Amino acid sequence: MRVITLCGSTKFKDQFEQANAFLTLQGNIVISVAFFEQSDGFEITQEQAELLGNIHFRKIDISDEIFVINVNGYIGTSTRKEIEYAEKKGKAIRYYSDGKITSYECSLTGNYSFIKTS
C-alpha cells in the first residue's frame, strides 16, 4: 500500500472526492485536506491558513507521493509550495490532469479504471 496526499485548491471539492475514492479503491491510503473552505464558503484567518499549510506539509512528510488536483491546469500559490516541498523531500508526484478523471468504475472482481475524457 502506498500513502498518497492529495494537494490542490479547495475549490475543487468534487475532484478531490473522485480522486480520493479512486485511489482508495486501488488499495492506497489517501490523505486529504481537512475541509474545503473555498468550495464550502468557510472564512479562515491568515493564522489558520498558515496552520493548515504546515499541517499539510506534515501530511506530505508521511506520504510516499502526492497527487495534485490541477483541474484545467490550475495550480495556486499554496499548491505550488506543496509541490516544491514534495520535490525537496523526494516524493513522487502525479497530476490529476494527466488522468483526466471524470468518474471511476469498480467491478465486483476488484478491477478499477479511470473513465477518461477525450
Side-chain angles (χ1 to χ4, degrees):
M1 274 187 257
R2 294 184 60 77
V3 178
I4 302 171
T5 294
L6 302 180
C7 298
S9 173
T10 58
K11 64 184 170 184
F12 300 131
K13 181 178 181 178
D14 290 343
Q15 291 83 359
F16 264 84
E17 290 174 349
Q18 289 173 344
N20 192 339
F22 179 79
L23 294 168
T24 298
L25 289 172
Q26 287 183 319
N28 299 292
I29 298 168
V30 180
I31 302 171
S32 190
V33 296
F35 56 92
F36 298 91
E37 67 269 10
Q38 289 187 55
S39 63
D40 290 343
F42 287 111
E43 294 285 331
I44 61 172
T45 65
Q46 182 60 37
E47 183 177 290
Q48 290 169 326
E50 290 173 14
L51 173 65
L52 290 172
N54 288 330
I55 290 170
H56 213 72
F57 287 145
R58 299 299 74 78
K59 291 176 181 180
I60 293 169
D61 284 339
I62 62 173
S63 297
D64 298 304
E65 71 178 75
I66 66 170
F67 189 88
V68 180
I69 309 295
N70 61 331
V71 177
N72 297 320
Y74 177 80
I75 296 176
T77 304
S78 295
T79 304
R80 191 165 312 284
K81 289 178 185 176
E82 293 165 357
I83 294 167
E84 291 169 2
Y85 185 83
E87 287 173 340
K88 287 178 188 172
K89 295 292 183 170
K91 306 296 180 174
I93 301 170
R94 287 194 287 163
Y95 292 85
Y96 175 90
S97 61
D98 291 343
K100 299 186 183 194
I101 305 169
T102 56
S103 62
Y104 58 91
E105 291 182 335
C106 170
S107 73
L108 294 177
T109 62
N111 295 318
Y112 312 104
S113 62
F114 286 107
I115 297 175
K116 296 184 181 185
T117 59
S118 49

